[in-house]
Amino acid sequence: MSSESTGGRRALIVMPAWNEEEAVGDTVREVFAALPEADVLVVDDGSSDRTAQVARAAGAKVLELPINLGVGGAMRAGFRYAVRHDYDAAVQVDADGQHNPLEVRDLLAKLDEADIVIGARFAGEGDYQVRGPRKWAMKVLAFVLSRLAGTKLTDTTSGFKATGRRALPLFAENYPVEYLGDTIESLVIACRAGCKIVQVPAHMRERRAGTPSHSPWKASIYLFRAGFALLLALIRRWNVSVKAATPVDNEVSV
């Protein structure tokens, strides 16, 4: 990845993947095509298929977790890898191809003025839409977290994010693994630690393969779970700081 496109940063693309053998290979190759000098780490989250083998064949580094930890656990492993190998930034990209690698540059460029940059689906560009309970939940979450962050955030559950050097040790140590924690709670932690959060517009695409994570049944209970996750994150006492955060010295290998 050229210094011009990253602002001189050494960036790692972190791709959490669970049973994504049909999509992960093409997604990794698309990242390399868009960002030829990028480093890509696929975190195989306890897959029962050939996700790890397909990712390696496409040229990615692969970290295999022995059990399924969820997106939060996979991303925490990715953050620890980034800190251990002295990266300046880590960018979360979905293995299913829904995120456009060409937009990674936009996220990284914004790290000049922030610690965390969200690729927002509801920021005036693209045609991605949600309805029903998920839409209501997202609006409430965006309102509360915007107040907490001191800036307008329209898509607080986006999985397309860039994390800068100051916040990497914080997330390597404290990134939540619970459902919705990797989005909602992680932003609360970042705010409590003094991180600056901004967003840039991003476009969501259709999955290359596999089954969407939000079925109609899951969408019907999303409102309750999202509100509960936000409440727990807000009332929990977070003794965190971007200056004091130091990850535990656990070995991470690929």
Side-chain angles (χ1 to χ4, degrees):
M1 189 184 299
S2 68
S3 59
E4 181 179 346
S5 65
T6 64
R9 295 180 185 85
R10 185 165 175 256
L12 177 70
I13 308 300
V14 181
M15 199 176 292
W18 180 57
N19 292 337
E20 292 283 3
E21 67 172 328
E22 295 182 19
V24 69
D26 286 340
T27 302
V28 170
R29 284 185 285 272
E30 186 182 16
V31 170
F32 285 133
L35 308 162
E37 298 179 37
D39 289 335
V40 179
L41 176 70
V42 172
V43 183
D44 180 11
D45 190 20
S47 297
S48 59
D49 63 3
R50 298 179 62 254
T51 292
Q53 297 94 312
V54 172
R56 283 196 184 94
K61 305 175 188 293
V62 178
L63 177 62
E64 296 185 62
L65 304 183
I67 59 174
N68 178 253
L69 297 179
V71 175
M75 284 305 302
R76 185 188 288 191
F79 288 128
R80 292 190 173 196
Y81 182 96
V83 171
R84 178 171 295 278
H85 293 274
D86 198 31
Y87 284 92
D88 298 310
V91 183
Q92 180 180 348
V93 174
D94 281 356
D96 58 20
Q98 288 188 299
H99 299 147
N100 186 347
L102 291 173
E103 296 181 330
V104 168
R105 292 185 177 92
D106 299 331
L107 272 65
L108 290 172
K110 272 291 186 178
L111 286 178
D112 288 339
E113 60 186 72
D115 299 299
I116 297 165
V117 182
I118 302 171
R121 297 163 290 184
F122 317 111
E125 295 186 15
D127 55 2
Y128 183 81
Q129 296 182 351
V130 292
R131 297 178 177 83
R134 287 190 67 210
K135 180 179 180 179
W136 307 330
M138 287 179 174
K139 284 185 175 294
V140 172
L141 294 171
F143 174 78
V144 175
L145 289 170
S146 292
R147 296 290 296 272
L148 191 63
T151 189
K152 184 177 181 180
L153 302 175
T154 60
D155 189 8
T156 56
T157 61
S158 171
F160 189 32
K161 290 180 290 190
T163 301
R165 180 175 280 275
R166 283 209 321 154
L168 283 175
L170 174 73
F171 282 167
E173 177 70 13
N174 299 287
Y175 206 71
V177 300
E178 297 83 5
Y179 176 72
L180 290 175
D182 61 295
T183 52
I184 299 168
E185 193 171 6
S186 68
L187 294 180
V188 174
I189 292 172
C191 290
R192 299 292 195 217
C195 293
K196 182 177 180 180
I197 304 169
V198 299
Q199 68 177 29
V200 296
H203 300 81
M204 199 74 165
R205 306 185 301 190
E206 294 293 327
R207 289 179 59 96
R208 281 198 165 93
T211 304
S213 59
H214 285 287
S215 66
W217 168 247
K218 287 182 180 180
S220 69
I221 61 174
Y222 186 91
L223 178 62
F224 171 77
R225 297 188 69 172
F228 188 65
L230 178 60
L231 178 62
L232 287 180
L234 291 173
I235 65 176
R236 183 174 174 181
R237 292 183 178 273
W238 293 104
N239 184 23
V240 291
S241 168
V242 288
K243 294 182 179 180
T246 303
V248 295
D249 191 22
N250 287 348
E251 185 64 32
V252 178
S253 60
V254 292

